[in-house]
Amino acid sequence: MNGCKRVVVTGMAGITSLGSDWASIEANFLANRSGIRYMHEWDRFNELNTRLGGPIDDFSVPAHWTRKQLRSMGRVSRLVVGAAEQALAQAGLLDDASIRDGRMGVACGSSTGSTEDVKAFGNMLLNNVAVGLNANSYIRMMPHTTAANLSIFFGLKGRLIPTSSACTSGSQGIGYAYEAIKFGRLPLMLAGGGEELCPTEAMVFDALYATSLKNDAPQTSPRPYDSDRDGLVIGEGAGMLVLEELQHALARGAHIHAELVGFGSNADGRHATRPEVLTMRQAMQLALDDAGLAPEAIGYVNGHGTATEQGDIAETLATHSLFGARMPISSQKSFFGHTLGACGALESWFCIEMLNRDQYIHTLNLDIIDPRCGELDYLRNAPRHMSHEYVMSNNFAFGGVNTSLIFRRWA
């Protein structure tokens, strides 16, 4: 499209149950080490069947964060701000005053705000007391808490785009940030998503009979695309990218990690929790159209891969229908569990790291491919060395929200 700007990634970072830097996370990938464990903390919930989760057990706020800064941030915002601080530092922008004059905006989301504060408001409604509530309780609980806290913490005065859309919160954040730069609204965006681990989110899927019950063998689940999968596992994390208009990045001599060339997003428009093959495929096609690419240009697809029966089958049938059986695919949710609002941002980060290293991470615990899944080139057992110019990352959320992102290797 004439007049459109090119968008590049100049910073990227994340916080996960397997580390907060690529070197640590990659080492765990290569060792087939899972971030899933038995959640003894959930034993008090008798009606919750699953006891599996992917918590970040070693997260602590940096010593230089002030009490005033922390007051408005629940755990999900702290994770997101922590990831953003690393991404901005990598981009060489953390101490750059130019990001605070309106040139940088924020696009970020999570499935929900911090649930400790939801609990406090619920206690008020149930027991007629305001114990634990204060002036910042709503700020920590509100659906746009991550985007607002990012803007306030770093003093960012550009447009603020909240993306609270469950499993597509992170990928929509990146996609909408990309569009803001592409169409010339501003040159810099901080984009991504996060999620804090909460038993209520496990209960959501438990009620749908969609959680894994391999409680006695945490390291064997989840199992995306596998015949022996029995459901998903909830995790937590945060991922953030710094997106920048190409000429702006070149002018300041920024290191470019990749170019974001395509974004597609649509809705199923039929059912809140039952995925639709046709609209999933259309979301991928929209991203290809946006990038001006044929399906043959894509070398690898980072699948949503939640390890739910309906999701795995619909996603892979959609992918096969567009790309055919030759397409390599894998899901890192097999290592972390489903990090909901964070997954799209974390998986985008992983895609760029894999693209630049010519090493693509496999799906953990994928022993026997479910014959009902679409015929694809499933990466199993160990990483695979491949060299590609373009990769695609897909996410699909409750409410029938579909997203697809395409990244290009930066020569």
Side-chain angles (χ1 to χ4, degrees), residues 306-322:
T306 61
T308 60
E309 182 179 9
Q310 286 191 3
D312 283 2
I313 293 171
E315 172 197 355
T316 55
L317 289 174
T319 306
H320 171 83
S321 72
L322 184 58

Side-chain angles (χ1 to χ4, degrees), residues 179-193:
E179 291 181 336
I181 297 173
K182 177 178 179 177
F183 297 116
R185 301 300 181 258
L186 68 181
L188 293 158
M189 289 290 291
L190 188 58

Side-chain angles (χ1 to χ4, degrees), residues 379-393:
L379 274 57
R380 299 190 289 165
N381 303 319
R384 182 185 300 176
H385 289 276
M386 302 183 287
S387 183
H388 300 300
E389 185 176 5
Y390 298 98
V391 298
M392 175 181 281
S393 185

Side-chain angles (χ1 to χ4, degrees), residues 247-302:
Q247 295 305 316
H248 189 279
L250 293 174
R252 67 181 189 88
H255 176 73
I256 295 172
H257 299 281
E259 183 176 5
L260 177 49
V261 297
F263 170 57
S265 185
N266 66 359
D268 291 340
R270 293 191 66 180
H271 195 278
T273 60
R274 187 184 304 123
E276 294 287 332
V277 173
L278 179 60
T279 40
M280 285 176 157
R281 185 188 192 278
Q282 288 172 340
M284 299 180 221
Q285 185 64 60
L286 287 169
L288 288 169
D289 293 344
D290 185 45
L293 296 174
E296 293 74 27
I298 304 301
Y300 163 81
V301 168
N302 194 311

Side-chain angles (χ1 to χ4, degrees), residues 72-101:
S72 65
M73 292 195 290
R75 182 172 175 86
V76 64
S77 291
R78 295 178 184 194
L79 291 170
V80 164
V81 170
E85 193 167 49
Q86 294 179 53
L88 286 166
Q90 187 188 72
L93 290 170
L94 185 58
D95 299 316
D96 191 326
S98 70
I99 69 171
R100 298 173 181 86
D101 64 3

Side-chain angles (χ1 to χ4, degrees), residues 193-259:
E195 205 74 51
E196 64 182 67
L197 188 63
C198 180
T200 61
E201 292 175 328
M203 190 66 206
V204 168
F205 294 95
D206 220 47
L208 292 168
Y209 305 100
T211 50
S212 174
L213 303 181
K214 297 182 185 293
N215 297 326
D216 57 345
Q219 299 291 298
T220 66
S221 195
R223 310 177 67 88
Y225 316 128
D226 190 85
S227 291
D228 192 36
R229 69 178 172 279
D230 72 331
L232 58 73
V233 177
I234 297 296
E236 71 176 338
M240 297 299 300
L241 303 184
V242 176
L243 301 186
E244 191 164 353
E245 191 273 322
L246 175 59
Q247 295 305 316
H248 189 279
L250 293 174
R252 67 181 189 88
H255 176 73
I256 295 172
H257 299 281
E259 183 176 5

